[in-house]
Amino acid sequence: GQQLNQSPQSMFIQEGEDVSMNCTSSSIFNTWLWYKQDPGEGPVLLIALYKAGELTSNGRLTAQFGITRKDSFLNISASIPSDVGIYFCAGRRYGQNFVFGPGTRLSVLP
Amino acid sequence: DAGITQSPRYKITETGRQVTLMCHQTWSHSYMFWYRQDLGHGLRLIYYSAAADITDKGEVPDGYVVSRSKTENFPLTLESATRSQTSVYFCASSGSGMNTEAFFGQGTRLTVV
């Protein structure tokens, strides 16, 4: 089936640092979504993007819908310990199911 | 409570037994999905439903059965559980519009012994 690539697979950062991660696809999507999953919990929606080039923020999080519609980026500014978790991207074409990336595991060192 | 809820949160069952995982959403979303999450495989779609009485197979449907007699409920049944079905199962729902998001339940951790 369709696959999304996320990078990096994992990252260790110091508290206070900014974080960047991205998601790429060989196919065009109409919707890009970013989720965070804490241990033992379900993925929680962080940001939804619907237009190519769209830049949307949610607190310290900012995500962008790539111009080519084949990629998306998520930035976290001034990381804090509770940012630890797995970040998933998802794409969707009209009338089709969601496609999820494998996730980026974020660890924040105090 | 509003949202999407799964039950049970944890379940241990024996090989060969039938087990049903429940999913209930209060948003009247048209679409509902079942995923399993395993290390190294991410989220894999088992079954989905576009509306009541409409269901379709996803990527890994073998060994699972679903039904959707009411919009708000989407139970997943393992007819004869196998150890390979040990996993974390997530239910999700979304609206039917062009710009929609998926919302997930808290998951059911199923262990087949």
Side-chain angles (χ1 to χ4, degrees):
Chain A
Q2 248 178 341
Q3 297 287 334
L4 293 182
N5 300 307
Q6 277 190 255
S7 64
Q9 284 186 324
S10 62
M11 53 195 316
F12 293 82
I13 60 168
Q14 294 285 340
E15 184 176 352
E17 288 184 347
D18 296 343
V19 174
S20 292
M21 60 187 78
N22 66 58
C23 189
T24 59
S25 170
S26 57
S27 303
I28 290 173
F29 289 109
N30 303 112
T31 299
W32 282 99
L33 307 170
W34 285 93
Y35 292 84
K36 178 176 183 275
Q37 185 177 24
D38 292 326
E41 300 295 330
V44 174
L45 182 66
L46 299 173
I47 294 178
L49 303 158
Y50 304 114
K51 294 180 183 178
E54 179 181 359
L55 189 71
T56 298
S57 293
N58 178 6
R60 294 177 296 105
L61 278 61
T62 302
Q64 185 163 24
F65 193 135
I67 291 291
T68 65
R69 297 169 70 187
K70 294 182 177 182
D71 55 12
S72 181
F73 308 88
L74 177 69
N75 295 316
I76 305 173
S77 63
S79 59
I80 59 177
S82 62
D83 290 334
V84 167
I86 302 176
Y87 291 80
F88 290 98
C89 62
R92 193 181 197 187
R93 302 183 69 172
Y94 295 146
Q96 297 187 9
N97 287 322
F98 297 93
V99 180
F100 290 88
T104 292
R105 184 180 295 273
L106 177 64
S107 300
V108 179
L109 306 174
Chain B
D1 289 348
I4 182 166
T5 54
Q6 294 182 234
S7 61
R9 287 295 311 276
Y10 304 91
K11 177 74 176 178
I12 300 174
T13 192
E14 294 179 337
T15 299
R17 289 194 179 266
Q18 182 181 85
V19 60
T20 296
L21 310 184
M22 305 300 293
C23 180
H24 175 79
Q25 54 105 355
T26 61
W27 292 305
S28 298
H29 281 165
S30 298
Y31 283 87
M32 295 189 75
F33 310 86
W34 274 106
Y35 296 91
R36 59 179 291 175
Q37 187 177 42
D38 306 286
L39 277 175
H41 290 280
L43 286 161
R44 291 185 290 176
L45 182 64
I46 304 170
Y47 268 96
Y48 66 99
S49 168
D53 297 322
I54 299 174
T55 62
D56 212 341
K57 296 178 180 179
E59 183 184 352
V60 288
D62 293 344
Y64 303 96
V65 174
V66 293
S67 63
R68 194 159 176 215
S69 57
K70 291 184 178 181
T71 299
E72 60 266 31
N73 297 322
F74 191 38
L76 175 73
T77 298
L78 287 67
E79 294 186 297
S80 179
T82 65
R83 289 196 177 88
S84 66
Q85 292 177 310
T86 293
S87 185
V88 181
Y89 291 85
F90 288 103
C91 179
S93 71
S94 76
S96 58
M98 291 171 66
N99 295 333
T100 57
E101 312 93 6
F103 296 93
F104 285 83
Q106 291 180 296
T108 295
R109 182 174 293 275
L110 176 68
T111 302
V112 183
V113 298

